[in-house]
Amino acid sequence: MHETNIQVGPASFRIGSVWKEVIDQIEMLYASYPKPKLTDYTVTLDAVRPWRRFIRPSAAINGDFMLPDAAPLPLDHGLLGVEMGVNLQMALGWRRQLILHASSVEKDGKSLIMSGESGSGKSTLSAILGHRGWRFMGDEFALINHDNGFAMPYPRMISLKNEAIKTMKKEAPHAQFGPLMKDTPKGDIQHIVPPADAIRKMEQGAKPALLLFPNFGYDAEIREIFPSEVFMRLTQASTNFVGLGETGFNTLKRLVLDVPAFEIAYQNGDEAENMINQLWEQL
Amino acid sequence: MADSYKIRDVGNLILQHLDYMSLLYDRQSGITHIIAEPAPQIIEALGQDVMKAAQIEHILKKQYDVQMFEDESSDSFEDIIIARLDEFVDLGLAEKIISI
């Protein structure tokens, strides 16, 4: 088994794989990240059968937390397998903060949290803003502290899907990209290493100042959302709200009471950026 | 005779008003209920006491400017209170004390 350790924000992972190329790719993409000695979780890619290590290699995703019926992936999609395995550990195991399935960016010491379904554009928006004067904090999970309500960064390598790949190659042509994985269960996927300041400041949280629910592909519109609807949406966007019990309730309650929330519909990144700047200036 | 109602364990409930909806977190079940008016007000009126719907109606009408939009099919305010109380019973939040 080949292995490496990675640190993403407050969480650390031991990644193991029977295929060296997967670990090489991880080490390349996470080269500028701190390397922890101790880790919170283990994720491994194993051959589904001994001979499937060599013949039509097929990777089963294993780890401390596992989905028993998770479909194996071809070796070409090994990075996606690691990403899925790491996400699963966080979603099922993390208790130190309230997890929101959301992207986040920071400016002036305050954070903007964007939550939405897959395809809403939250990842791409955070990646774009991270190259336009904001500090990228994460494209997948926003971690909300129980004690002070701050959003903590989780700046893993950004997972770009389909059209977003082209968008980011134009936006950040000099950024480091991982291998293009074609025709995965989620479409075409390519990873991009976050900007250097995102990694350097990955221990610095920021007080949430604005919550957004982006909707890509619709006519431009901004709609304010009441706290009760925000609460309902964020309970659905949190993987550990129920498990955290009263602590999670109090953390989420404070977030929805303290932070204004809006839904924005937009057709492209420039349009969304204008709306975000407009809302940000009104805070 | 009308039935009485009692909140099962009021000390284990956290009521948080938000806007037109309120949150009701039940420590015992770990479930958050999102409730609309007049459900939160009924819980506050009941407190730790045992009450009939008519008593709750009396308290709420004293505290709030209760307005009913009446037509032939509409329920009375007391009927609405009883419906909410029965929902609390179904959710395990309240108990009904049946009068014989």
Side-chain angles (χ1 to χ4, degrees), chain A residues 24-64:
Chain A
D24 288 344
Q25 287 170 347
I26 294 282
E27 290 200 320
M28 183 192 77
L29 289 166
Y30 281 94
S32 55
Y33 285 68
K35 222 170 169 145
K37 283 191 180 139
L38 297 173
T39 54
D40 296 306
Y41 305 110
T42 294
V43 173
T44 58
L45 290 190
D46 304 297
V48 289
R49 298 276 180 279
W51 57 88
R52 294 298 290 273
R53 185 174 163 189
F54 307 102
I55 304 163
R56 287 190 296 118
S58 181
I61 308 161
N62 293 319
D64 296 326

Side-chain angles (χ1 to χ4, degrees), chain B residues 17 40-42 44 59-67:
Chain B
H17 296 290
Q41 289 75 18
I42 291 171
E44 286 175 328
I59 292 171
L60 294 184
K61 281 190 166 166
K62 257 194 349 196
Q63 289 178 342
Y64 301 96
D65 180 21
V66 176
Q67 289 185 344

Side-chain angles (χ1 to χ4, degrees), chain A residues 58-80:
Chain A
S58 181
I61 308 161
N62 293 319
D64 296 326
F65 295 90
M66 290 161 62
L67 292 179
D69 52 355
L73 293 166
L75 180 58
D76 291 349
H77 300 163
L79 266 184
L80 174 63

Side-chain angles (χ1 to χ4, degrees), chain A residues 88-134:
Chain A
L88 194 65
Q89 310 312 306
M90 289 300 287
L92 299 183
W94 196 252
R95 292 287 182 274
R96 268 180 255 169
Q97 283 108 353
L98 176 77
I99 295 185
L100 297 178
H101 184 220
S103 67
S104 56
V105 290
E106 177 265 342
K107 194 153 69 171
D108 309 323
K110 295 177 290 185
S111 59
L112 156 65
I113 297 171
M114 295 177 277
S115 178
E117 302 282 321
S118 185
S120 65
K122 64 180 188 309
S123 294
T124 316
L125 273 182
S126 66
I128 291 173
L129 292 174
H131 287 274
R132 295 188 184 182
W134 298 70

Side-chain angles (χ1 to χ4, degrees), chain A residues 144-204:
Chain A
I144 310 298
N145 278 346
H146 299 304
D147 55 355
N148 60 10
F150 274 40
M152 298 305 290
Y154 183 77
R156 61 164 203 177
M157 53 181 171
I158 306 165
S159 184
L160 302 170
K161 293 178 197 79
N162 304 315
E163 286 303 304
I165 298 170
K166 212 161 53 185
T167 303
M168 285 313 294
K169 288 212 160 149
K170 212 168 130 195
E171 184 75 32
H174 303 298
Q176 190 180 359
F177 287 82
L180 175 65
M181 292 175 278
K182 288 192 82 69
D183 304 322
T184 78
K186 298 177 177 185
D188 292 349
I189 289 185
Q190 192 164 15
H191 292 97
I192 174 173
V193 178
D197 65 332
I199 299 166
R200 201 174 58 244
K201 296 181 182 172
M202 74 179 186
E203 289 176 3
Q204 286 178 30

